Amino acid sequence: MVLLVLGLIFVGDCNGDELKKHFYERSCPLAEEIVQNITWKHVATNSALPAKLLRMHFHDCFVRGCDGSVLVDSTANNTAEKAAIPNLSLAGFDVIDEIKTQLETTCPGKVSCADIVALAARDSVSFQFNKSMWEVLTGRRDGNISRASEALANIPSPSSNFTTLQQNFANKNLSIHDLVVLSGAHTIGVGHCNLFSNRLYNFTGKGDSDPSLNSTYAAFLKTKCKSLSDTTTTVPMDPGSGLTFDSHYYISLKQKEGLFQSDAALLTNHDASDYVDKLLANEEFFTKFGESIKRMGAIEVLTGNSGNIRTKCSVVN
Ligand code: HEM
Ligand SMILES: *[C@@H]1O[C@H](CO)[C@@H](O)[C@H](O)[C@H]1NC(C)=O
Ligand SMILES: *[C@@H]1O[C@H](CO)[C@@H](O)[C@H](O)[C@H]1NC(C)=O
Ligand SMILES: *[C@@H]1O[C@H](CO)[C@@H](O)[C@H](O)[C@H]1NC(C)=O
Ligand SMILES: *[C@@H]1O[C@H](CO)[C@@H](O)[C@H](O)[C@H]1NC(C)=O
Ligand SMILES: *[C@@H]1O[C@H](CO)[C@@H](O)[C@H](O)[C@H]1NC(C)=O
Ligand SMILES: *[C@@H]1O[C@H](CO)[C@@H](O)[C@H](O)[C@H]1NC(C)=O
Ligand SMILES: *[C@@H]1O[C@H](CO)[C@@H](O)[C@H](O)[C@H]1NC(C)=O
Ligand SMILES: *[C@@H]1O[C@H](CO)[C@@H](O)[C@H](O)[C@H]1NC(C)=O
Ligand SMILES: *[C@@H]1O[C@H](CO)[C@@H](O)[C@H](O)[C@H]1NC(C)=O
């Protein structure tokens, strides 16, 4: 029995090749500094960028693990993840490409696109709020498959109910607590009107609004989103606090001001709703967010000799 347990621990260890701190310390000592410098340069002139890069990291990790597959362009043969989601409005690819170009000059073939995404997400948020936000482990390698259909199947929809959200996260071995904490990323950034305006204008097909949405807030949103078919207007997801990375998202949520049904859904489950109360304090939110995004950043990662290091992030080798 003891031998069996020791054996399992041993195998577990040898399975190794896990993510670690400063993976590039020897192979490319300036890697993290290069990512940070270029990210910071862009965020300094584009305050919308941290939300874009944070969301890009989420989408990368939820489809085939954090393997840079979100960055790949479609080809004649393949409709890539990017193409599945014009309505999901990802952005910031140019920043990733600039970082990759610099890294290929400084230390060719060493730093994965998947790690660049994970680091840039953290660095962009940290720069904007002048606070070292969370630790990012490195050592991810890039995949060479990116399929639109997998993005649609794995990325939760803004109209998801709690059961579906919980299942989407459980599929990635993430818990209800991870779901609640990571949804707190909606403390920054914007959402497009068409993704929630059914909640304002036609919730059950009777020209009604969603009773779980604060009616004062719904009236305000109607002044921004004038119709069901408005696909261009955006509104901040955390009203009054859309440019600060803080726990205010949960305060908004409790005032029934979560923008999407998927946000409001967090209040429909006991465990999740209790957890919302625990995250109302900034420090608790920061600590827990750091822990959960570390788990998210480790989903199905390719390490060691698996996968490869892409030369150009938008094209598989
Ligand atoms: C729980 C399930 C989730 C759903 C259903 C969801 C859905 C969405 C939707 C529909 C948008 C608006 C996109 C647009 O209109 O352009 C959005 C924005 C965003 N999401 Fe999520 N999301 C979820 C979880 C997450 C997670 C886990 C993260 C990161 C850790 C994240 C980070 C963001 C950010 C930062 C934005 C703002 C993007 C911007 O300003 O362009 N979301 N999300
Ligand atoms: C990063 O930026 C800092 C401050 O501007 C600079 O001192 C440093 O040399 C830069 N590092 C790299 C690798 O470009
Ligand atoms: C597209 O698919 C064909 C046949 O499967 C293959 O011969 C060709 O190399 C592929 N092209 C690319 C760009 O992958
Ligand atoms: C950022 O934080 C550092 C250390 O906490 C502080 O010295 C600096 O003044 C801050 N900068 C701004 C612009 O708030
Ligand atoms: C994006 O578009 C597809 C196809 O039109 C649709 O199935 C999906 O629900 C949309 N996603 C969002 C977030 O609106
Ligand atoms: C949640 O949504 C799924 C998929 O749309 C549906 O099958 C399920 O019945 C819904 N669950 C509840 C409790 O509404
Ligand atoms: C979840 O955990 C199980 C058991 O450890 C593992 O087999 C599976 O690959 C994991 N899935 C993900 C997406 O990490
Ligand atoms: C509201 O939904 C119902 C049922 O889907 C539909 O018949 C009606 O045209 C919709 N109203 C508007 C304004 O789109
Ligand atoms: C609706 O929002 C207002 C602030 O905008 C708040 O005072 C009120 O308590 C909220 N209503 C509910 C039911 O949460
Ligand atoms: C994908 O990567 C694997 C190993 O990581 C490699 O064997 C395979 O040839 C690659 N396929 C393409 C199309 O690049």
Side-chain angles (χ1 to χ4, degrees):
M1 184 60 190
V2 171
L3 280 179
L4 179 65
V5 170
L6 284 177
L8 285 176
I9 290 171
F10 185 67
V11 169
D13 272 357
C14 280
N15 228 350
D17 288 338
E18 284 173 1
L19 302 181
K20 53 173 85 144
K21 278 191 211 180
H22 309 305
F23 177 83
Y24 300 107
E25 206 159 24
R26 295 222 178 95
S27 60
C28 186
L30 288 177
E32 294 197 20
E33 198 175 309
I34 289 170
V35 175
Q36 187 181 69
N37 279 10
I38 296 177
T39 305
W40 285 13
K41 180 185 78 180
H42 283 276
V43 177
T45 59
N46 179 2
S47 63
L49 190 59
K52 309 292 177 202
L53 292 175
L54 182 54
R55 183 153 182 256
M56 184 192 287
H57 182 34
F58 164 51
H59 281 219
D60 189 26
C61 293
F62 263 61
V63 190
R64 272 186 184 271
C66 320
D67 67 343
S69 55
V70 70
L71 305 170
V72 172
D73 285 339
S74 295
T75 60
N77 283 0
N78 181 51
T79 309
E81 286 169 33
K82 263 183 194 173
I85 41 186
N87 52 356
L88 293 181
S89 63
L90 291 177
F93 296 107
D94 53 331
V95 177
I96 303 297
D97 289 343
E98 184 180 331
I99 294 169
K100 181 61 173 175
T101 302
Q102 182 57 51
L103 286 170
E104 285 303 301
T105 307
T106 309
C107 26
K110 297 294 183 201
V111 184
S112 69
C113 296
D115 275 344
I116 296 173
V117 171
L119 290 165
R122 188 269 315 273
D123 291 342
S124 60
V125 176
S126 300
F127 178 75
Q128 185 157 40
F129 307 113
N130 195 32
K131 182 177 196 305
S132 181
M133 284 291 177
W134 57 85
E135 182 178 88
V136 174
L137 303 182
T138 43
R140 295 171 190 80
R141 289 164 65 85
D142 297 322
N144 54 17
I145 297 175
S146 175
R147 300 207 197 296
S149 56
E150 293 182 357
L152 289 174
N154 286 281
I155 303 289
S157 142
S159 58
S160 301
N161 59 31
F162 187 82
T163 316
T164 303
L165 292 172
Q166 182 183 2
Q167 190 57 56
N168 285 145
F169 275 63
N171 289 345
K172 308 298 166 189
N173 289 340
L174 296 178
S175 68
I176 289 180
H177 287 197
D178 294 317
L179 164 63
V180 175
V181 176
L182 290 171
S183 294
H186 291 175
T187 180
I188 53 172
V190 296
H192 284 79
C193 287
N194 57 306
L195 301 181
F196 60 85
S197 44
N198 66 317
R199 303 184 74 198
L200 308 176
Y201 293 112
N202 207 3
F203 191 60
T204 66
K206 293 175 188 153
D208 52 346
S209 55
D210 181 348
S212 73
L213 183 63
N214 188 313
S215 55
T216 312
Y217 188 50
F220 165 77
L221 288 173
K222 283 182 177 178
T223 68
K224 301 285 174 191
C225 304
K226 300 245 163 63
S227 80
L228 274 167
S229 54
D230 179 348
T231 56
T232 51
T233 309
T234 60
V235 301
M237 290 193 294
D238 182 10
S241 175
L243 277 176
T244 44
F245 195 89
D246 58 15
S247 61
H248 193 271
Y249 167 81
Y250 301 101
I251 294 169
S252 298
L253 206 54
K254 281 180 71 79
Q255 290 180 338
K256 298 170 68 175
E257 294 180 349
L259 192 61
F260 299 128
Q261 280 167 267
S262 61
D263 297 309
L266 300 179
L267 299 178
T268 65
N269 169 274
H270 264 295
D271 187 7
S273 160
D274 282 353
Y275 206 55
V276 165
D277 288 334
K278 297 218 163 58
L279 295 172
L280 291 169
N282 268 331
E283 285 314 315
E284 189 68 4
F285 170 58
F286 290 141
T287 305
K288 297 299 181 192
F289 191 84
E291 292 168 10
S292 286
I293 201 163
K294 187 181 268 187
R295 279 192 281 278
M296 186 185 94
I299 295 172
E300 289 172 279
V301 286
L302 302 166
T303 55
N305 294 320
S306 311
N308 54 32
I309 304 295
R310 230 175 267 154
T311 310
K312 199 166 177 258
C313 290
S314 56
V315 186
V316 298
N317 286 350

